[in-house]
Amino acid sequence: MNGNFTRWRQLATVLALMSAVQVSSAAGPTDEEQVGEAAAAKILGAARITENTSLQTYVNTLGASLANLTERPGLSWRFAVVESVNVNAFAAPGGIVLITRGLFKLLDSEDELAAVICHEIGHVVGKHHYKVILKQRLTEDATKQLASTQSDKTLNDLSNLSSVIYARGLDKGAEFDADLFAIQLLAKSGYDASALIGVFEKLAKLQIGDSRSALLFSTHPLPFDRLDQLSRLSLESLPPATSPEKRKARFQAAKASL
Amino acid sequence: MNFACLRLLRWSIFLLFLTCGSSFSQVTTKKVDLKESASAEAKTTSTLPENSKVTILQRTGFWVRATAEKSTGWLKVTDLRFSSEGGGRINLSSLDSGRTGTNNIVSTSAARGLSAKELSEATPDFAAVRLLISLSRNEELLKKFRAEGGLEIRQITAITPSASNTKSITPTKADKDEW
């Protein structure tokens, strides 16, 4: 009888643990994902997601196929094109990546598009924005003697905090880390790793005084500085792209639909 | 003076150089062999000393075809310095830009392009975020996407900067293409 009781107790313990796992899985997004959603909400408040479903599917699928190859494939990775003529790409904590129509139009190949997305994925994987927002939030909470809550007011405050940080800028070490990450993910996934240089070339040709790139010029790292950082790397061992001609048509179709 | 004003000042100074008709070049970071074609195995046509000024004519992958005084040939883009720091000037050929300067503060996200004013004044749209999150992820579709795009997963050696304040990024473990 004692043996049966022990077995029942063991079974009850296992069932309780399984329930606990289910509860925590159903508890909702992580803090990182919540921060990211708040940040993305601010961007999407300024520029809506494209209604071009084929374009959106293309970008989301491309992004997801790259994110799957990172050390954080389990995040809620979502990729979208937003309707803005400005040149812009956005990485929110937790896996939301947004690219503007304006930036997409600059690009000449799926490999260049992948380069932009890989760079933004690098920010997410490295938690670059999350760490800064977290630190700032803790500082503000301590100042206001607040505790973290789930209230709508807090989420709106988080959105506003995020946008201030994005407009102010971060340390360029994170940018260079994201470039290094992009180079490697591009090569790993079969894309042309040098496509990142192609993106730098496009950005470098943007005209001063054009309002579509005004914020880019005031907060973006210099393409030449980023190129110089690449100069410190040994890139000879990177394999060439696989079959780039096979993805040319679908990229051209996507770009033509802009 | 805030960073935005500093950047504007640097741009203005650089534009002044442009209007004076100065020519600009990239600079080699070390002694470099100019090659007949874009390959390390190609025949060497000439050798340039460190700090040689070159003008870029075209780019293929990580190789550029450039000219330096009487020599023309291919070299790796990573053997060149592009920023103006250290005396190098900016080539306005295939990698032209109007920018110089080494301001440390940059945005790593997308507050680059959407105007600062629009971003600051926007009302957060959480409904749009929920809609985005609701997009499903179809693993079969991803597999098909890769196959149709001719994309093959490769194992690569982690790249570590030789002298940099950036952290190396460890790639994931060797992946088998399970798709």
Side-chain angles (χ1 to χ4, degrees):
Chain A
M1 183 187 253
N2 281 341
N4 284 340
F5 180 77
T6 301
R7 277 197 290 275
W8 277 115
R9 192 168 66 179
Q10 286 172 344
L11 179 59
T13 302
V14 169
L15 286 173
L17 283 172
M18 288 173 64
S19 299
V21 168
Q22 288 297 324
V23 167
S24 80
S25 298
T30 62
D31 181 70
E32 184 183 1
E33 288 169 338
Q34 274 203 317
V35 168
E37 288 174 20
K42 190 70 169 173
I43 299 289
L44 293 176
R48 60 181 172 81
I49 296 174
T50 183
E51 292 179 355
N52 182 332
T53 53
S54 62
L55 175 67
Q56 177 52 36
T57 300
Y58 170 66
V59 171
N60 192 42
T61 306
L62 190 160
S65 71
L66 289 166
N68 260 11
L69 301 178
T70 69
E71 61 207 62
R72 306 187 73 193
L75 291 178
S76 296
W77 292 102
R78 296 295 186 271
F79 301 82
V81 176
V82 294
E83 291 294 352
S84 171
V85 296
N86 292 284
V87 177
N88 192 341
F90 179 79
I96 297 176
V97 173
L98 305 172
I99 176 172
T100 64
R101 165 191 288 266
L103 177 52
F104 197 124
K105 289 188 79 170
L106 281 186
L107 307 174
D108 287 335
S109 68
E110 181 170 306
D111 294 54
E112 288 185 354
L113 175 61
V116 171
I117 290 176
C118 284
H119 175 89
E120 301 305 330
I121 288 175
H123 286 315
V124 176
V125 170
K127 298 185 181 181
H128 296 157
H129 290 91
Y130 181 54
K131 288 174 183 173
V132 173
I133 293 172
L134 197 64
K135 188 177 176 183
Q136 186 65 27
R137 185 176 65 180
L138 288 172
T139 302
E140 289 197 358
D141 283 352
T143 302
K144 298 176 187 174
Q145 297 180 328
L146 291 175
S148 294
T149 69
Q150 303 297 321
S151 70
D152 287 346
K153 184 177 183 303
T154 303
L155 287 175
N156 277 332
D157 288 345
L158 195 52
S159 285
N160 294 331
L161 169 62
S162 301
S163 67
V164 170
I165 288 170
Y166 299 141
R168 183 168 62 199
L170 302 171
D171 190 279
K172 70 177 181 181
E175 195 75 18
F176 297 147
D177 275 354
D179 283 344
L180 174 59
F181 181 95
I183 290 274
Q184 295 181 102
L185 183 54
L186 283 167
K188 179 184 166 80
S189 60
Y191 285 110
D192 176 10
S194 75
L196 186 63
I197 297 182
V199 176
F200 293 165
E201 290 173 340
K202 307 294 192 302
L203 297 180
K205 289 177 182 176
L206 295 174
Q207 295 297 317
I208 304 170
D210 187 335
S211 61
R212 292 172 295 178
S213 52
L215 196 56
L216 175 72
F217 283 147
S218 67
T219 60
H220 198 84
L222 297 169
F224 287 171
D225 284 342
R226 296 166 78 176
L227 274 168
D228 284 343
Q229 287 293 319
L230 292 183
S231 297
R232 301 178 185 184
L233 307 175
S234 297
L235 303 175
E236 294 80 19
S237 61
L238 292 174
T242 56
S243 308
E245 69 284 352
K246 287 190 176 180
R247 43 193 181 271
K248 186 176 178 181
R250 68 186 185 191
F251 173 80
Q252 293 298 338
K255 189 172 177 180
S257 74
L258 285 170
Chain B
M1 184 182 285
N2 62 25
F3 287 115
C5 289
L6 279 172
R7 281 184 178 267
L8 188 59
L9 180 61
R10 288 195 186 97
W11 275 111
S12 303
I13 292 171
F14 188 76
L15 283 175
L16 185 61
F17 273 115
L18 288 182
T19 56
C20 290
S22 302
S23 62
F24 298 86
S25 304
Q26 275 75 49
V27 173
T28 57
T29 57
K30 59 182 183 182
K31 183 177 162 187
V32 172
D33 290 333
L34 284 182
K35 298 293 190 177
E36 204 169 57
S37 61
S39 167
E41 285 71 42
K43 180 183 171 185
T44 296
T45 58
S46 60
T47 300
L48 301 178
E50 184 178 347
N51 289 323
S52 297
K53 293 178 182 175
V54 303
T55 300
I56 293 176
L57 303 174
Q58 69 180 100
R59 181 181 67 82
T60 299
F62 288 114
W63 288 81
V64 292
R65 183 167 158 267
T67 183
E69 294 182 1
K70 299 176 186 176
S71 307
T72 299
W74 292 86
L75 69 158
K76 288 176 289 193
V77 70
T78 50
D79 287 335
L80 294 172
R81 182 173 65 247
F82 291 84
S83 67
S84 62
E85 187 179 27
R89 291 180 158 186
I90 309 301
N91 183 296
L92 296 178
S93 176
S94 64
L95 289 170
D96 61 2
S97 160
R99 309 185 65 196
T100 60
T102 55
N103 189 330
N104 261 344
I105 304 299
V106 299
S107 171
T108 64
S109 75
R112 299 172 269 158
L114 279 174
S115 73
K117 186 171 184 293
E118 288 168 344
L119 190 56
S120 170
E121 294 177 353
T123 300
D125 188 348
F126 286 96
V129 174
R130 285 192 288 274
L131 188 62
L132 181 59
I133 296 295
S134 71
L135 292 176
S136 62
R137 207 164 106 166
N138 185 317
E139 297 297 329
E140 280 303 310
L141 190 63
L142 298 186
K143 183 178 178 180
K144 185 181 175 194
F145 181 86
R146 294 190 60 79
E148 289 178 349
L151 295 162
E152 300 170 21
I153 298 174
R154 289 87 62 87
Q155 181 179 2
I156 62 166
T157 305
I159 297 172
T160 304
S162 57
S164 167
N165 61 357
T166 63
K167 293 175 287 189
S168 63
I169 295 178
T170 305
T172 57
K173 295 179 292 187
D175 291 322
K176 187 173 122 179
D177 190 342
E178 296 177 347
W179 300 332

mmCIF file of all heavy atoms in Angstrom, chain B residues 22-60:
data_model
loop_
_atom_site.group_PDB
_atom_site.id
_atom_site.type_symbol
_atom_site.label_atom_id
_atom_site.label_comp_id
_atom_site.label_asym_id
_atom_site.label_seq_id
_atom_site.Cartn_x
_atom_site.Cartn_y
_atom_site.Cartn_z
ATOM 1 N N SER B 22 38.438 69.429 -54.812
ATOM 2 C CA SER B 22 39.455 68.463 -54.399
ATOM 3 C C SER B 22 39.065 67.069 -54.842
ATOM 4 O O SER B 22 37.892 66.738 -54.931
ATOM 5 C CB SER B 22 39.591 68.472 -52.874
ATOM 6 O OG SER B 22 39.909 69.739 -52.418
ATOM 7 N N SER B 23 40.041 66.235 -55.138
ATOM 8 C CA SER B 23 39.759 64.839 -55.458
ATOM 9 C C SER B 23 40.046 63.999 -54.224
ATOM 10 O O SER B 23 40.864 64.360 -53.390
ATOM 11 C CB SER B 23 40.642 64.375 -56.622
ATOM 12 O OG SER B 23 41.996 64.445 -56.248
ATOM 13 N N PHE B 24 39.367 62.894 -54.153
ATOM 14 C CA PHE B 24 39.476 62.075 -52.959
ATOM 15 C C PHE B 24 39.764 60.638 -53.340
ATOM 16 O O PHE B 24 39.415 60.177 -54.408
ATOM 17 C CB PHE B 24 38.173 62.143 -52.169
ATOM 18 C CG PHE B 24 37.854 63.528 -51.708
ATOM 19 C CD1 PHE B 24 37.179 64.399 -52.521
ATOM 20 C CD2 PHE B 24 38.262 63.958 -50.463
ATOM 21 C CE1 PHE B 24 36.900 65.690 -52.103
ATOM 22 C CE2 PHE B 24 37.978 65.240 -50.031
ATOM 23 C CZ PHE B 24 37.297 66.113 -50.860
ATOM 24 N N SER B 25 40.403 59.904 -52.446
ATOM 25 C CA SER B 25 40.716 58.506 -52.688
ATOM 26 C C SER B 25 40.578 57.721 -51.406
ATOM 27 O O SER B 25 40.647 58.259 -50.317
ATOM 28 C CB SER B 25 42.162 58.364 -53.184
ATOM 29 O OG SER B 25 42.404 59.128 -54.322
ATOM 30 N N GLN B 26 40.408 56.400 -51.581
ATOM 31 C CA GLN B 26 40.567 55.522 -50.446
ATOM 32 C C GLN B 26 42.067 55.292 -50.271
ATOM 33 O O GLN B 26 42.871 55.586 -51.156
ATOM 34 C CB GLN B 26 39.854 54.193 -50.706
ATOM 35 C CG GLN B 26 38.384 54.235 -50.346
ATOM 36 C CD GLN B 26 37.554 54.998 -51.336
ATOM 37 O OE1 GLN B 26 37.649 54.781 -52.530
ATOM 38 N NE2 GLN B 26 36.741 55.908 -50.853
ATOM 39 N N VAL B 27 42.424 54.737 -49.130
ATOM 40 C CA VAL B 27 43.838 54.553 -48.809
ATOM 41 C C VAL B 27 44.086 53.104 -48.405
ATOM 42 O O VAL B 27 43.295 52.543 -47.644
ATOM 43 C CB VAL B 27 44.231 55.512 -47.660
ATOM 44 C CG1 VAL B 27 45.632 55.225 -47.177
ATOM 45 C CG2 VAL B 27 44.101 56.950 -48.105
ATOM 46 N N THR B 28 45.140 52.514 -48.879
ATOM 47 C CA THR B 28 45.457 51.139 -48.473
ATOM 48 C C THR B 28 45.922 51.114 -47.026
ATOM 49 O O THR B 28 46.645 51.997 -46.572
ATOM 50 C CB THR B 28 46.561 50.538 -49.361
ATOM 51 O OG1 THR B 28 47.721 51.374 -49.290
ATOM 52 C CG2 THR B 28 46.105 50.427 -50.807
ATOM 53 N N THR B 29 45.512 50.074 -46.324
ATOM 54 C CA THR B 29 45.858 49.968 -44.902
ATOM 55 C C THR B 29 47.159 49.218 -44.679
ATOM 56 O O THR B 29 47.667 49.149 -43.562
ATOM 57 C CB THR B 29 44.743 49.249 -44.134
ATOM 58 O OG1 THR B 29 44.541 47.960 -44.726
ATOM 59 C CG2 THR B 29 43.439 50.035 -44.192
ATOM 60 N N LYS B 30 47.690 48.625 -45.730
ATOM 61 C CA LYS B 30 48.945 47.864 -45.635
ATOM 62 C C LYS B 30 49.512 47.734 -47.043
ATOM 63 O O LYS B 30 48.895 48.187 -48.023
ATOM 64 C CB LYS B 30 48.693 46.495 -45.026
ATOM 65 C CG LYS B 30 47.708 45.654 -45.830
ATOM 66 C CD LYS B 30 47.448 44.320 -45.154
ATOM 67 C CE LYS B 30 46.530 43.483 -46.015
ATOM 68 N NZ LYS B 30 46.188 42.193 -45.388
ATOM 69 N N LYS B 31 50.652 47.102 -47.156
ATOM 70 C CA LYS B 31 51.220 46.805 -48.475
ATOM 71 C C LYS B 31 50.301 45.809 -49.172
ATOM 72 O O LYS B 31 49.932 44.791 -48.595
ATOM 73 C CB LYS B 31 52.615 46.197 -48.277
ATOM 74 C CG LYS B 31 53.366 45.893 -49.544
ATOM 75 C CD LYS B 31 54.752 45.356 -49.174
ATOM 76 C CE LYS B 31 55.373 44.637 -50.348
ATOM 77 N NZ LYS B 31 56.637 43.974 -49.968
ATOM 78 N N VAL B 32 49.906 46.119 -50.404
ATOM 79 C CA VAL B 32 48.868 45.329 -51.069
ATOM 80 C C VAL B 32 49.279 44.984 -52.503
ATOM 81 O O VAL B 32 49.822 45.837 -53.226
ATOM 82 C CB VAL B 32 47.540 46.119 -51.107
ATOM 83 C CG1 VAL B 32 46.505 45.423 -51.958
ATOM 84 C CG2 VAL B 32 46.998 46.336 -49.713
ATOM 85 N N ASP B 33 48.983 43.755 -52.917
ATOM 86 C CA ASP B 33 49.194 43.362 -54.311
ATOM 87 C C ASP B 33 47.940 43.682 -55.117
ATOM 88 O O ASP B 33 46.832 43.318 -54.715
ATOM 89 C CB ASP B 33 49.463 41.858 -54.416
ATOM 90 C CG ASP B 33 50.820 41.467 -53.850
ATOM 91 O OD1 ASP B 33 51.724 42.322 -53.866
ATOM 92 O OD2 ASP B 33 50.966 40.318 -53.392
ATOM 93 N N LEU B 34 48.137 44.336 -56.255
ATOM 94 C CA LEU B 34 47.028 44.534 -57.178
ATOM 95 C C LEU B 34 46.977 43.306 -58.085
ATOM 96 O O LEU B 34 48.001 42.900 -58.653
ATOM 97 C CB LEU B 34 47.225 45.798 -58.025
ATOM 98 C CG LEU B 34 46.966 47.135 -57.340
ATOM 99 C CD1 LEU B 34 47.165 48.275 -58.332
ATOM 100 C CD2 LEU B 34 45.571 47.201 -56.725
ATOM 101 N N LYS B 35 45.811 42.727 -58.218
ATOM 102 C CA LYS B 35 45.661 41.485 -58.977
ATOM 103 C C LYS B 35 45.030 41.728 -60.337
ATOM 104 O O LYS B 35 44.320 42.715 -60.563
ATOM 105 C CB LYS B 35 44.792 40.510 -58.175
ATOM 106 C CG LYS B 35 45.369 40.083 -56.837
ATOM 107 C CD LYS B 35 46.609 39.245 -57.011
ATOM 108 C CE LYS B 35 47.062 38.622 -55.714
ATOM 109 N NZ LYS B 35 48.240 37.740 -55.924
ATOM 110 N N GLU B 36 45.286 40.763 -61.211
ATOM 111 C CA GLU B 36 44.749 40.837 -62.577
ATOM 112 C C GLU B 36 43.233 40.640 -62.585
ATOM 113 O O GLU B 36 42.524 41.165 -63.449
ATOM 114 C CB GLU B 36 45.422 39.734 -63.404
ATOM 115 C CG GLU B 36 45.447 39.986 -64.883
ATOM 116 C CD GLU B 36 46.354 38.987 -65.584
ATOM 117 O OE1 GLU B 36 46.107 37.766 -65.434
ATOM 118 O OE2 GLU B 36 47.291 39.429 -66.268
ATOM 119 N N SER B 37 42.747 39.842 -61.634
ATOM 120 C CA SER B 37 41.315 39.599 -61.524
ATOM 121 C C SER B 37 40.952 39.513 -60.048
ATOM 122 O O SER B 37 41.836 39.527 -59.188
ATOM 123 C CB SER B 37 40.917 38.318 -62.250
ATOM 124 O OG SER B 37 41.576 37.206 -61.675
ATOM 125 N N ALA B 38 39.661 39.395 -59.769
ATOM 126 C CA ALA B 38 39.182 39.420 -58.377
ATOM 127 C C ALA B 38 39.402 38.087 -57.687
ATOM 128 O O ALA B 38 38.466 37.383 -57.330
ATOM 129 C CB ALA B 38 37.705 39.803 -58.365
ATOM 130 N N SER B 39 40.668 37.757 -57.473
ATOM 131 C CA SER B 39 40.989 36.491 -56.829
ATOM 132 C C SER B 39 42.379 36.575 -56.217
ATOM 133 O O SER B 39 43.294 37.152 -56.817
ATOM 134 C CB SER B 39 40.934 35.356 -57.854
ATOM 135 O OG SER B 39 41.514 34.178 -57.336
ATOM 136 N N ALA B 40 42.534 35.957 -55.065
ATOM 137 C CA ALA B 40 43.845 35.946 -54.404
ATOM 138 C C ALA B 40 44.842 35.127 -55.198
ATOM 139 O O ALA B 40 46.056 35.321 -55.075
ATOM 140 C CB ALA B 40 43.692 35.390 -52.987
ATOM 141 N N GLU B 41 44.332 34.218 -56.022
ATOM 142 C CA GLU B 41 45.225 33.354 -56.825
ATOM 143 C C GLU B 41 45.604 33.981 -58.160
ATOM 144 O O GLU B 41 46.422 33.449 -58.895
ATOM 145 C CB GLU B 41 44.546 31.997 -57.092
ATOM 146 C CG GLU B 41 44.506 31.057 -55.886
ATOM 147 C CD GLU B 41 43.548 31.495 -54.812
ATOM 148 O OE1 GLU B 41 42.417 31.940 -55.149
ATOM 149 O OE2 GLU B 41 43.900 31.433 -53.625
ATOM 150 N N ALA B 42 44.995 35.115 -58.486
ATOM 151 C CA ALA B 42 45.276 35.759 -59.780
ATOM 152 C C ALA B 42 46.689 36.329 -59.799
ATOM 153 O O ALA B 42 47.315 36.552 -58.759
ATOM 154 C CB ALA B 42 44.251 36.853 -60.039
ATOM 155 N N LYS B 43 47.152 36.612 -60.992
ATOM 156 C CA LYS B 43 48.491 37.155 -61.167
ATOM 157 C C LYS B 43 48.564 38.568 -60.584
ATOM 158 O O LYS B 43 47.641 39.368 -60.733
ATOM 159 C CB LYS B 43 48.807 37.177 -62.672
ATOM 160 C CG LYS B 43 50.178 37.714 -63.031
ATOM 161 C CD LYS B 43 50.354 37.759 -64.547
ATOM 162 C CE LYS B 43 51.645 38.494 -64.905
ATOM 163 N NZ LYS B 43 51.785 38.671 -66.357
ATOM 164 N N THR B 44 49.681 38.859 -59.936
ATOM 165 C CA THR B 44 49.893 40.196 -59.374
ATOM 166 C C THR B 44 50.410 41.120 -60.470
ATOM 167 O O THR B 44 51.389 40.800 -61.153
ATOM 168 C CB THR B 44 50.919 40.133 -58.222
ATOM 169 O OG1 THR B 44 50.377 39.327 -57.170
ATOM 170 C CG2 THR B 44 51.220 41.530 -57.688
ATOM 171 N N THR B 45 49.747 42.254 -60.603
ATOM 172 C CA THR B 45 50.163 43.196 -61.640
ATOM 173 C C THR B 45 51.112 44.258 -61.091
ATOM 174 O O THR B 45 51.978 44.762 -61.791
ATOM 175 C CB THR B 45 48.945 43.882 -62.276
ATOM 176 O OG1 THR B 45 48.208 44.545 -61.251
ATOM 177 C CG2 THR B 45 48.046 42.869 -62.966
ATOM 178 N N SER B 46 50.925 44.608 -59.819
ATOM 179 C CA SER B 46 51.825 45.560 -59.170
ATOM 180 C C SER B 46 51.580 45.496 -57.672
ATOM 181 O O SER B 46 50.616 44.877 -57.218
ATOM 182 C CB SER B 46 51.604 46.985 -59.690
ATOM 183 O OG SER B 46 50.280 47.393 -59.438
ATOM 184 N N THR B 47 52.444 46.121 -56.917
ATOM 185 C CA THR B 47 52.303 46.148 -55.459
ATOM 186 C C THR B 47 52.264 47.584 -54.979
ATOM 187 O O THR B 47 53.079 48.409 -55.404
ATOM 188 C CB THR B 47 53.482 45.402 -54.793
ATOM 189 O OG1 THR B 47 53.483 44.053 -55.234
ATOM 190 C CG2 THR B 47 53.349 45.440 -53.265
ATOM 191 N N LEU B 48 51.324 47.871 -54.111
ATOM 192 C CA LEU B 48 51.179 49.220 -53.560
ATOM 193 C C LEU B 48 51.661 49.240 -52.115
ATOM 194 O O LEU B 48 51.337 48.340 -51.353
ATOM 195 C CB LEU B 48 49.710 49.660 -53.607
ATOM 196 C CG LEU B 48 49.019 49.692 -54.967
ATOM 197 C CD1 LEU B 48 47.566 50.112 -54.807
ATOM 198 C CD2 LEU B 48 49.757 50.655 -55.898
ATOM 199 N N PRO B 49 52.385 50.260 -51.721
ATOM 200 C CA PRO B 49 52.774 50.384 -50.316
ATOM 201 C C PRO B 49 51.585 50.810 -49.462
ATOM 202 O O PRO B 49 50.539 51.219 -49.981
ATOM 203 C CB PRO B 49 53.850 51.490 -50.352
ATOM 204 C CG PRO B 49 53.533 52.276 -51.579
ATOM 205 C CD PRO B 49 52.917 51.328 -52.559
ATOM 206 N N GLU B 50 51.759 50.706 -48.161
ATOM 207 C CA GLU B 50 50.737 51.157 -47.223
ATOM 208 C C GLU B 50 50.475 52.645 -47.443
ATOM 209 O O GLU B 50 51.379 53.403 -47.808
ATOM 210 C CB GLU B 50 51.215 50.908 -45.786
ATOM 211 C CG GLU B 50 50.190 51.242 -44.721
ATOM 212 C CD GLU B 50 50.718 50.928 -43.318
ATOM 213 O OE1 GLU B 50 51.763 50.242 -43.214
ATOM 214 O OE2 GLU B 50 50.092 51.377 -42.344
ATOM 215 N N ASN B 51 49.221 53.047 -47.197
ATOM 216 C CA ASN B 51 48.798 54.445 -47.348
ATOM 217 C C ASN B 51 48.814 54.946 -48.787
ATOM 218 O O ASN B 51 48.880 56.156 -49.025
ATOM 219 C CB ASN B 51 49.637 55.384 -46.468
ATOM 220 C CG ASN B 51 49.315 55.216 -44.995
ATOM 221 O OD1 ASN B 51 48.162 55.008 -44.629
ATOM 222 N ND2 ASN B 51 50.328 55.285 -44.158
ATOM 223 N N SER B 52 48.748 54.021 -49.727
ATOM 224 C CA SER B 52 48.622 54.433 -51.121
ATOM 225 C C SER B 52 47.181 54.852 -51.392
ATOM 226 O O SER B 52 46.248 54.183 -50.981
ATOM 227 C CB SER B 52 48.967 53.270 -52.057
ATOM 228 O OG SER B 52 50.297 52.867 -51.898
ATOM 229 N N LYS B 53 47.022 55.920 -52.112
ATOM 230 C CA LYS B 53 45.675 56.383 -52.461
ATOM 231 C C LYS B 53 45.225 55.685 -53.734
ATOM 232 O O LYS B 53 45.959 55.634 -54.723
ATOM 233 C CB LYS B 53 45.678 57.895 -52.668
ATOM 234 C CG LYS B 53 45.961 58.664 -51.385
ATOM 235 C CD LYS B 53 46.002 60.158 -51.629
ATOM 236 C CE LYS B 53 46.347 60.890 -50.337
ATOM 237 N NZ LYS B 53 46.507 62.337 -50.555
ATOM 238 N N VAL B 54 44.015 55.150 -53.695
ATOM 239 C CA VAL B 54 43.466 54.477 -54.872
ATOM 240 C C VAL B 54 42.089 55.049 -55.161
ATOM 241 O O VAL B 54 41.407 55.550 -54.268
ATOM 242 C CB VAL B 54 43.360 52.946 -54.675
ATOM 243 C CG1 VAL B 54 44.721 52.340 -54.335
ATOM 244 C CG2 VAL B 54 42.341 52.588 -53.619
ATOM 245 N N THR B 55 41.679 54.929 -56.417
ATOM 246 C CA THR B 55 40.336 55.335 -56.839
ATOM 247 C C THR B 55 39.598 54.086 -57.289
ATOM 248 O O THR B 55 40.067 53.361 -58.166
ATOM 249 C CB THR B 55 40.408 56.339 -58.002
ATOM 250 O OG1 THR B 55 41.144 57.491 -57.570
ATOM 251 C CG2 THR B 55 39.002 56.771 -58.413
ATOM 252 N N ILE B 56 38.465 53.840 -56.675
ATOM 253 C CA ILE B 56 37.713 52.623 -56.971
ATOM 254 C C ILE B 56 36.926 52.793 -58.263
ATOM 255 O O ILE B 56 36.243 53.798 -58.485
ATOM 256 C CB ILE B 56 36.750 52.291 -55.818
ATOM 257 C CG1 ILE B 56 37.560 51.917 -54.569
ATOM 258 C CG2 ILE B 56 35.828 51.145 -56.196
ATOM 259 C CD1 ILE B 56 36.719 51.671 -53.347
ATOM 260 N N LEU B 57 37.025 51.781 -59.131
ATOM 261 C CA LEU B 57 36.321 51.812 -60.414
ATOM 262 C C LEU B 57 35.080 50.926 -60.399
ATOM 263 O O LEU B 57 34.059 51.257 -60.992
ATOM 264 C CB LEU B 57 37.277 51.348 -61.523
ATOM 265 C CG LEU B 57 38.584 52.163 -61.634
ATOM 266 C CD1 LEU B 57 39.520 51.529 -62.654
ATOM 267 C CD2 LEU B 57 38.274 53.605 -62.011
ATOM 268 N N GLN B 58 35.155 49.770 -59.756
ATOM 269 C CA GLN B 58 34.019 48.871 -59.677
ATOM 270 C C GLN B 58 34.213 47.895 -58.524
ATOM 271 O O GLN B 58 35.306 47.799 -57.973
ATOM 272 C CB GLN B 58 33.841 48.099 -60.999
ATOM 273 C CG GLN B 58 34.937 47.088 -61.280
ATOM 274 C CD GLN B 58 34.738 46.356 -62.587
ATOM 275 O OE1 GLN B 58 35.353 46.700 -63.577
ATOM 276 N NE2 GLN B 58 33.904 45.330 -62.578
ATOM 277 N N ARG B 59 33.161 47.185 -58.146
ATOM 278 C CA ARG B 59 33.237 46.209 -57.065
ATOM 279 C C ARG B 59 32.576 44.902 -57.495
ATOM 280 O O ARG B 59 31.530 44.909 -58.132
ATOM 281 C CB ARG B 59 32.545 46.733 -55.803
ATOM 282 C CG ARG B 59 32.620 45.764 -54.626
ATOM 283 C CD ARG B 59 31.902 46.324 -53.401
ATOM 284 N NE ARG B 59 30.473 46.434 -53.587
ATOM 285 C CZ ARG B 59 29.609 45.434 -53.452
ATOM 286 N NH1 ARG B 59 30.029 44.222 -53.126
ATOM 287 N NH2 ARG B 59 28.321 45.636 -53.640
ATOM 288 N N THR B 60 33.209 43.787 -57.097
ATOM 289 C CA THR B 60 32.604 42.461 -57.244
ATOM 290 C C THR B 60 32.811 41.733 -55.939
ATOM 291 O O THR B 60 33.947 41.436 -55.571
ATOM 292 C CB THR B 60 33.262 41.657 -58.383
ATOM 293 O OG1 THR B 60 33.078 42.339 -59.614
ATOM 294 C CG2 THR B 60 32.629 40.278 -58.480
#
